[in-house]
Amino acid sequence: MYMKKLLALTILLLPFTVKAQTPTATINQFMDNWHKAAATADEDVFFGSMTEDGIYLGTDKTEKWTREEMAEWADEHFQKESAWSFTASERDIYFSENGKTAWINEKLDTWMGVCKGTAVLVLKPEGWKIALYDLSVTIDNNKIDAFLELTNED
């Protein structure tokens, strides 16, 4: 009898002992999963994590894609084992007052060296979605002159 009561009490209290994930932890997991989707060539998760009207700004000055345009461009990359692999080493997350919009900046380890990503996320009924992602290559300040010389368009 004692064991039955203890079991019943445990079952009743179990939901109260499981903590809900914080919004920051949810977004961290969401962004990690998004980067993992590219690393494992899971285009459904990668592009499904963006809003229908989502925009991706790439590192090239001409790269401004809608979700559909980027999916078309990236198709050949997602046919491989890995499209590309970016890993966040730092991430800052901020929220609007109503908690339905978030913006992030992250430092990424990539094949291009250290990059930065900036994103705007919106909370939809099915969860967080990326409305805008901007990927930037970083250049050390003491190398700017050489960079300008390299990219000078005469």
Side-chain angles (χ1 to χ4, degrees):
M1 183 69 165
Y2 173 75
M3 291 302 284
K4 285 183 181 179
K5 286 182 181 180
L6 183 57
L7 180 61
L9 184 60
T10 301
I11 290 171
L12 284 173
L13 293 178
L14 187 60
F16 299 104
T17 61
V18 177
K19 281 188 169 180
Q21 198 173 29
T22 67
T24 298
T26 299
I27 288 181
N28 271 319
Q29 186 66 56
F30 172 80
M31 292 303 299
D32 288 345
N33 289 343
W34 188 62
H35 289 304
K36 181 181 177 186
T40 59
D42 186 341
E43 60 189 326
D44 291 336
V45 170
F46 186 85
F47 294 107
S49 296
M50 297 175 73
T51 60
E52 288 184 20
D53 60 348
I55 299 291
Y56 189 100
L57 303 174
T59 57
D60 188 283
K61 62 186 169 189
T62 65
E63 293 176 339
K64 178 185 177 188
W65 292 309
T66 63
R67 179 181 77 172
E68 300 311 316
E69 291 168 336
M70 186 181 184
E72 185 177 324
W73 172 85
D75 184 60
E76 69 180 275
H77 299 284
F78 278 91
Q79 299 309 312
K80 303 172 188 172
E81 280 188 41
S82 176
W84 53 80
S85 183
F86 300 165
T87 305
S89 58
E90 293 178 23
R91 184 178 292 136
D92 299 313
I93 302 172
Y94 308 91
F95 294 92
S96 62
E97 284 187 33
N98 68 5
K100 295 181 188 243
T101 304
W103 52 100
I104 70 160
N105 63 282
E106 55 186 6
K107 185 163 43 166
L108 303 165
D109 296 323
T110 79
W111 65 271
M112 298 173 280
V114 175
C115 288
K116 289 187 178 180
T118 304
V120 176
L121 292 84
V122 292
L123 187 57
K124 300 285 189 176
E126 65 275 15
W128 288 101
K129 297 284 184 178
I130 299 167
L132 172 74
Y133 193 83
D134 185 359
L135 178 66
S136 303
V137 175
T138 61
I139 300 165
D140 295 336
N141 287 336
N142 64 349
K143 297 179 181 175
I144 288 292
D145 289 338
F147 168 77
L148 292 173
E149 190 174 310
L150 179 68
T151 60
N152 186 13
E153 295 179 30
D154 294 307

